[in-house]
Amino acid sequence: MASSYNPTSPDIAANLAGVRERIALAAREAGRDPAEIALVAVAKTFGPDAVEAAYAAGQRVFGENRVQEAQAKYPDLKARHPDLVLHLIGPLQTNKAEDAVALFDVIETLDRPKLARSLAKARDKLGRCPDLYIQVNTGGEEQKAGCAPEAAGDLLARTRDELGLPVIGLMCIPPIDEPPALHFGLLKKLAGELGLDRLSMGMSGDYEAAITVGATSVRVGSAIFGERPKPA
Ligand SMILES: *Cc1c(COP(=O)(O)O)cnc(C)c1O
């Protein structure tokens, strides 16, 4: 219940309303229907109470970046709220592929053939498969996950066409020191070339810019739940 949420924390319901309003404005300014843009509320580092507060305010789609953290948090939440939809937005190791397929409804971080094979194996074993996004490293950053833009077509062919996995779109995280719109544009163009129509791009600092370029899904954390504690 919202009332059990720590009252000294930011007001999640009000923050959510503000973000939804800004999404609608950005969409209308771009001549788009706000209903085509999904809001993924990124609850990483925040406890189940924060998720409950957002759920009570009408939010249904949540994002997490770590499989283990999500495993600790969501089984209870999902049992209470069967319509809760969970996205994995952080890097996935092959040895966690089965856990991820069991828990998540969408995995946004497919970025290599080996992971695709592990996901296919998990699908065969569990008889379920999340929808998938291919994560593209649009900035070519060495330390960042995601496949190179020029490798996305090949990965799509292997994943969707050879393994029969449900790839629905592309996802990116722009470099922090470059204009994000450039990277959003790159992802949009690549998706057009590949015939994919879902685009997961835009975070608290740049989701309106992402919507202007064509995002169909934005991943917003701190603007809803407040600042995260810095990792030690
Ligand atoms: C944490 C995270 C977000 C949300 O970031 P905010 O700046 O808090 O909105 C979005 N996408 C990914 C991949 C993340 O890890």
Side-chain angles (χ1 to χ4, degrees):
M1 295 292 290
S3 59
S4 72
Y5 191 70
N6 178 354
T8 64
S9 295
D11 186 344
I12 289 174
N15 290 347
L16 255 176
V19 169
R20 289 199 191 110
E21 183 59 30
R22 288 172 61 178
I23 288 173
L25 270 172
R28 279 193 222 102
E29 266 170 34
R32 303 182 57 198
D33 178 359
E36 13 169 290
I37 296 140
L39 171 60
V40 178
V42 179
K44 67 191 184 196
T45 77
F46 293 96
D49 282 4
V51 176
E52 286 285 8
Y55 186 93
Q59 182 63 28
R60 292 295 177 269
V61 186
F62 293 87
E64 290 288 339
N65 70 334
R66 290 170 187 271
V67 175
Q68 249 172 320
E69 181 181 342
Q71 281 179 311
K73 225 149 99 179
Y74 286 87
D76 285 356
L77 286 163
K78 282 189 143 195
R80 271 198 298 282
H81 307 300
D83 61 345
L84 189 154
V85 176
L86 190 57
H87 288 222
L88 178 64
I89 61 170
L92 179 57
Q93 290 168 336
T94 49
N95 63 3
K96 295 254 171 62
E98 192 177 320
D99 289 340
V101 167
L103 180 62
F104 289 91
D105 302 293
V106 179
I107 294 176
E108 299 201 11
T109 50
L110 171 61
D111 63 356
R112 57 201 192 279
K114 188 172 176 220
L115 179 57
R117 289 194 294 275
S118 299
L119 291 171
K121 221 183 257 176
R123 169 203 57 193
D124 295 344
K125 182 166 168 194
L126 301 175
R128 87 188 293 270
C129 195
D131 284 337
L132 305 172
Y133 285 79
I134 290 178
Q135 181 179 357
V136 182
N137 187 357
T138 56
E141 296 172 283
E142 222 163 88
Q143 77 289 1
K144 197 169 266 178
C147 73
E150 55 278 10
D154 182 58
L155 182 57
L156 177 64
R158 287 161 178 253
T159 304
R160 185 187 59 191
D161 307 337
E162 288 175 26
L163 297 168
L165 290 164
V167 179
I168 61 170
L170 301 180
M171 177 271 217
C172 78
I173 309 170
I176 48 170
D177 54 353
E178 288 181 28
L182 202 95
H183 295 271
F184 299 153
L186 220 156
L187 198 71
K188 164 106 178 152
K189 180 168 176 284
L190 187 56
E193 289 164 7
L194 299 176
L196 292 168
D197 48 34
R198 305 284 308 168
L199 284 172
S200 172
M201 54 191 197
M203 311 180 9
S204 289
D206 54 21
Y207 64 90
E208 290 152 298
I211 289 167
T212 304
V213 179
T216 61
S217 187
V218 294
R219 310 176 306 267
V220 180
S222 47
I224 296 170
F225 296 106
E227 289 305 316
R228 287 179 292 274
K230 295 266 178 295

Short mmCIF file of all heavy atoms in Angstrom, two decimals, residues 40 42 44 64-65 89-90 108-109 135 171-173 202-205 219-224 226 228, ligand 1:
data_model
loop_
_atom_site.label_atom_id
_atom_site.label_comp_id
_atom_site.label_asym_id
_atom_site.label_seq_id
_atom_site.Cartn_x
_atom_site.Cartn_y
_atom_site.Cartn_z
N VAL A 40 8.35 2.41 -18.52
CA VAL A 40 8.93 1.37 -17.68
C VAL A 40 9.51 2.06 -16.44
O VAL A 40 10.44 2.86 -16.55
CB VAL A 40 10.04 0.59 -18.42
CG1 VAL A 40 10.67 -0.46 -17.52
CG2 VAL A 40 9.49 -0.04 -19.69
N VAL A 42 11.74 2.19 -13.45
CA VAL A 42 12.95 1.46 -13.06
C VAL A 42 13.14 1.55 -11.55
O VAL A 42 13.48 2.60 -11.01
CB VAL A 42 14.18 2.01 -13.80
CG1 VAL A 42 15.44 1.27 -13.37
CG2 VAL A 42 13.98 1.90 -15.31
N LYS A 44 15.17 -0.33 -9.55
CA LYS A 44 16.41 -0.90 -9.01
C LYS A 44 16.89 -0.14 -7.78
O LYS A 44 16.76 1.09 -7.73
CB LYS A 44 17.50 -0.90 -10.09
CG LYS A 44 17.96 0.49 -10.49
CD LYS A 44 18.85 0.45 -11.74
CE LYS A 44 19.36 1.83 -12.07
NZ LYS A 44 19.89 1.92 -13.44
N GLU A 64 14.17 -3.69 -13.92
CA GLU A 64 15.24 -4.00 -12.97
C GLU A 64 16.50 -4.30 -13.76
O GLU A 64 16.43 -4.84 -14.87
CB GLU A 64 14.87 -5.23 -12.13
CG GLU A 64 13.73 -4.97 -11.15
CD GLU A 64 14.15 -4.10 -9.95
OE1 GLU A 64 15.37 -4.01 -9.66
OE2 GLU A 64 13.25 -3.51 -9.32
N ASN A 65 17.66 -3.99 -13.18
CA ASN A 65 18.88 -4.26 -13.94
C ASN A 65 19.68 -5.46 -13.43
O ASN A 65 20.68 -5.82 -14.04
CB ASN A 65 19.77 -3.00 -14.05
CG ASN A 65 20.38 -2.63 -12.72
OD1 ASN A 65 19.84 -2.96 -11.67
ND2 ASN A 65 21.51 -1.95 -12.77
N ILE A 89 16.58 -4.81 -17.73
CA ILE A 89 17.24 -3.76 -18.53
C ILE A 89 18.74 -3.72 -18.30
O ILE A 89 19.42 -2.85 -18.82
CB ILE A 89 16.62 -2.37 -18.22
CG1 ILE A 89 16.81 -2.03 -16.73
CG2 ILE A 89 15.15 -2.34 -18.60
CD1 ILE A 89 16.46 -0.58 -16.40
N GLY A 90 19.26 -4.67 -17.50
CA GLY A 90 20.70 -4.73 -17.25
C GLY A 90 21.32 -5.92 -17.93
O GLY A 90 20.62 -6.82 -18.39
N GLU A 108 15.52 -6.81 -22.29
CA GLU A 108 15.89 -5.74 -23.23
C GLU A 108 17.37 -5.76 -23.61
O GLU A 108 17.83 -4.87 -24.33
CB GLU A 108 15.56 -4.37 -22.61
CG GLU A 108 14.08 -4.19 -22.28
CD GLU A 108 13.69 -2.72 -22.15
OE1 GLU A 108 14.49 -1.83 -22.51
OE2 GLU A 108 12.56 -2.47 -21.69
N THR A 109 18.12 -6.75 -23.12
CA THR A 109 19.58 -6.65 -23.21
C THR A 109 20.23 -7.83 -23.93
O THR A 109 21.35 -8.22 -23.62
CB THR A 109 20.17 -6.52 -21.79
OG1 THR A 109 19.61 -7.56 -20.95
CG2 THR A 109 19.81 -5.18 -21.20
N GLN A 135 20.02 -5.08 -27.56
CA GLN A 135 20.68 -3.86 -27.07
C GLN A 135 21.82 -3.51 -28.03
O GLN A 135 22.67 -4.35 -28.34
CB GLN A 135 21.22 -4.06 -25.65
CG GLN A 135 21.90 -2.79 -25.13
CD GLN A 135 22.44 -2.94 -23.71
OE1 GLN A 135 22.26 -3.98 -23.08
NE2 GLN A 135 23.13 -1.91 -23.23
N MET A 171 17.14 -1.54 -28.21
CA MET A 171 17.31 -0.74 -27.00
C MET A 171 18.71 -0.13 -27.02
O MET A 171 19.64 -0.74 -27.53
CB MET A 171 17.14 -1.66 -25.79
CG MET A 171 17.36 -1.01 -24.43
SD MET A 171 19.07 -1.06 -23.85
CE MET A 171 18.80 -1.32 -22.10
N CYS A 172 18.84 1.10 -26.49
CA CYS A 172 20.19 1.67 -26.35
C CYS A 172 20.31 2.53 -25.10
O CYS A 172 19.31 3.00 -24.55
CB CYS A 172 20.61 2.48 -27.58
SG CYS A 172 19.90 4.14 -27.69
N ILE A 173 21.54 2.68 -24.65
CA ILE A 173 21.91 3.59 -23.56
C ILE A 173 23.02 4.49 -24.12
O ILE A 173 24.15 4.05 -24.26
CB ILE A 173 22.46 2.83 -22.34
CG1 ILE A 173 21.50 1.70 -21.92
CG2 ILE A 173 22.72 3.79 -21.18
CD1 ILE A 173 22.10 0.75 -20.87
N GLY A 202 15.70 6.38 -23.76
CA GLY A 202 15.31 7.52 -22.95
C GLY A 202 15.22 7.13 -21.48
O GLY A 202 14.62 6.11 -21.14
N MET A 203 15.86 7.93 -20.61
CA MET A 203 15.86 7.74 -19.17
C MET A 203 15.42 9.05 -18.51
O MET A 203 14.96 9.95 -19.21
CB MET A 203 17.26 7.30 -18.70
CG MET A 203 17.77 6.17 -19.54
SD MET A 203 19.39 5.40 -19.25
CE MET A 203 20.01 6.05 -17.75
N SER A 204 15.58 9.17 -17.18
CA SER A 204 15.06 10.36 -16.51
C SER A 204 15.52 11.68 -17.14
O SER A 204 14.75 12.62 -17.23
CB SER A 204 15.47 10.35 -15.03
OG SER A 204 14.76 9.36 -14.35
N GLY A 205 16.78 11.72 -17.59
CA GLY A 205 17.33 12.97 -18.08
C GLY A 205 16.99 13.29 -19.53
O GLY A 205 17.19 14.44 -19.98
N ARG A 219 12.56 4.30 -20.13
CA ARG A 219 12.93 3.65 -18.87
C ARG A 219 13.29 4.72 -17.85
O ARG A 219 14.36 5.31 -17.92
CB ARG A 219 14.12 2.72 -19.09
CG ARG A 219 13.96 1.75 -20.29
CD ARG A 219 15.23 0.93 -20.49
NE ARG A 219 16.42 1.76 -20.61
CZ ARG A 219 16.95 2.19 -21.76
NH1 ARG A 219 16.39 1.87 -22.90
NH2 ARG A 219 18.02 2.94 -21.75
N VAL A 220 12.38 4.99 -16.94
CA VAL A 220 12.56 6.12 -16.04
C VAL A 220 12.64 5.64 -14.58
O VAL A 220 11.72 4.99 -14.09
CB VAL A 220 11.40 7.13 -16.21
CG1 VAL A 220 11.58 8.31 -15.27
CG2 VAL A 220 11.33 7.61 -17.66
N GLY A 221 13.75 5.97 -13.91
CA GLY A 221 13.96 5.55 -12.53
C GLY A 221 13.90 6.70 -11.55
O GLY A 221 12.91 6.93 -10.87
N SER A 222 14.98 7.50 -11.49
CA SER A 222 15.10 8.50 -10.43
C SER A 222 14.01 9.58 -10.49
O SER A 222 13.63 10.10 -9.45
CB SER A 222 16.50 9.13 -10.47
OG SER A 222 16.86 9.48 -11.77
N ALA A 223 13.50 9.89 -11.66
CA ALA A 223 12.43 10.90 -11.73
C ALA A 223 11.14 10.41 -11.07
O ALA A 223 10.27 11.20 -10.74
CB ALA A 223 12.16 11.29 -13.19
N ILE A 224 11.04 9.09 -10.87
CA ILE A 224 9.86 8.52 -10.19
C ILE A 224 10.17 8.18 -8.73
O ILE A 224 9.43 8.55 -7.83
CB ILE A 224 9.39 7.24 -10.92
CG1 ILE A 224 8.91 7.57 -12.33
CG2 ILE A 224 8.27 6.55 -10.12
CD1 ILE A 224 8.66 6.34 -13.21
N GLY A 226 13.14 8.78 -6.97
CA GLY A 226 14.11 9.61 -6.26
C GLY A 226 15.53 9.15 -6.57
O GLY A 226 15.74 8.16 -7.27
N ARG A 228 19.04 7.45 -6.37
CA ARG A 228 19.49 6.18 -5.80
C ARG A 228 20.73 6.42 -4.94
O ARG A 228 21.54 7.29 -5.27
CB ARG A 228 19.86 5.20 -6.94
CG ARG A 228 18.66 4.65 -7.66
CD ARG A 228 19.09 3.72 -8.77
NE ARG A 228 19.77 4.43 -9.86
CZ ARG A 228 19.16 5.01 -10.89
NH1 ARG A 228 17.85 5.01 -10.95
NH2 ARG A 228 19.85 5.60 -11.82
C1 LIG B 1 18.96 2.72 -14.12
C2 LIG B 1 18.60 2.61 -15.55
C3 LIG B 1 17.61 3.45 -16.10
C4 LIG B 1 16.89 4.53 -15.33
O1 LIG B 1 17.78 5.57 -15.05
P1 LIG B 1 17.27 6.97 -14.44
O2 LIG B 1 18.30 7.93 -14.89
O3 LIG B 1 17.24 6.78 -12.97
O4 LIG B 1 15.96 7.25 -15.01
C5 LIG B 1 17.29 3.27 -17.44
N1 LIG B 1 17.90 2.33 -18.20
C6 LIG B 1 18.85 1.50 -17.69
C7 LIG B 1 19.46 0.49 -18.58
C8 LIG B 1 19.23 1.62 -16.35
O5 LIG B 1 20.16 0.79 -15.88
#
